[in-house]
């Protein structure tokens, strides 16, 4: 079987590797942290109350382990902020947001309620966006909201 060749085209593999590569330019970082914030805070809309929830609230239903996973994902945002060269004060504020979220989430089952209202990842995204808008204006994107349904 040593003589078998792969059916995978090397050019296709290199294109996938290029797409999956974690680029460190500010625009790529902005896209990653926006996607992470959407995953953690706005994945699904609750019917009836028309409020979005994400993995942060859902993971809170798994005691301790769910909170640890959510905190690790929040820490990833802080790591991205560090790579952008953000100040220690900004990263400390972000760590505080993640810490508060983690602490509130440790309350079994009831901890999902504060997570529903205290959106640490959204707060951290705002801090990162403010930094990017000020120090890397070329990465600014315009958010277009769809028109309201009447």
């Amino acid at each position: 079987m040593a003589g078998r060749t792969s059916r995978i085209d090397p050019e296709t593999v290199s294109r996938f590797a290029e797409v999956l590569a974690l680029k460190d330019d500010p625009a790529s970082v902005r896209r990653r942290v926006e996607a992470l914030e959407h995953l953690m805070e706005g994945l699904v809309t609750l019917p009836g109350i028309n409020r979005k929830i994400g993995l942060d609230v859902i993971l809170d239903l798994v005691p301790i382990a769910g909170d640890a996973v959510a905190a690790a994902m929040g820490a990833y945002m802080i790591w991205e902020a560090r790579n952008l060269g953000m100040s220690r004060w900004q990263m400390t504020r972000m760590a505080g947001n993640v810490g508060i979220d983690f602490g509130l989430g440790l309350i079994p089952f009831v901890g999902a309620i504060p997570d529903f209202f205290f959106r640490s990842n959204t707060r951290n995204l705002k801090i990162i966006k403010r930094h990017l808008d000020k120090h890397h204006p070329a990465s600014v994107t315009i958010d277009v909201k769809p028109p309201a349904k009447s």
Side-chain angles (χ1 to χ4, degrees):
M1 293 214 190
R4 281 184 82 175
T5 60
S6 172
R7 294 183 191 182
I8 299 173
D9 179 29
E11 188 176 314
T12 304
V13 172
S14 67
R15 277 186 288 171
F16 276 122
E18 187 177 311
V19 169
L20 295 175
L22 292 178
K23 298 176 184 167
D24 61 352
D25 62 294
S28 296
V29 172
R30 180 185 288 265
R31 282 192 299 273
R32 278 196 304 271
V33 295
E34 285 175 347
L36 180 63
E37 187 272 339
H38 176 73
L39 177 71
M40 294 301 289
E41 305 292 0
L43 196 58
V44 202
T45 303
L46 290 177
I49 61 172
N50 203 25
R51 176 107 171 159
K52 290 186 174 271
I53 65 166
L55 277 182
D56 199 11
V57 173
I58 295 167
L59 286 171
D60 232 355
L61 300 176
V62 179
I64 301 172
D67 297 314
V69 170
M73 293 175 89
Y76 173 76
M77 253 185 171
I78 298 169
W79 182 76
E80 287 283 15
R82 180 189 152 275
N83 290 342
L84 285 172
M86 292 177 65
S87 72
R88 284 189 179 173
W89 170 245
Q90 291 169 315
M91 291 188 298
T92 302
R93 286 182 51 207
M94 292 173 68
N97 288 337
V98 172
I100 290 169
D101 193 19
F102 179 71
L104 291 173
L106 285 178
I107 305 167
F109 303 108
V110 180
I113 295 168
D115 253 355
F116 187 72
F117 297 105
F118 184 78
R119 298 178 175 260
S120 65
N121 296 299
T122 303
R123 291 170 184 251
N124 289 346
L125 178 64
K126 286 180 185 177
I127 294 170
I128 291 173
K129 278 184 167 182
R130 228 177 289 130
H131 173 81
L132 285 170
D133 293 349
K134 183 177 180 181
H135 297 285
H136 304 281
S139 73
V140 174
T141 56
I142 299 173
D143 294 330
V144 178
K145 301 211 185 245
K149 294 179 184 177
S150 35

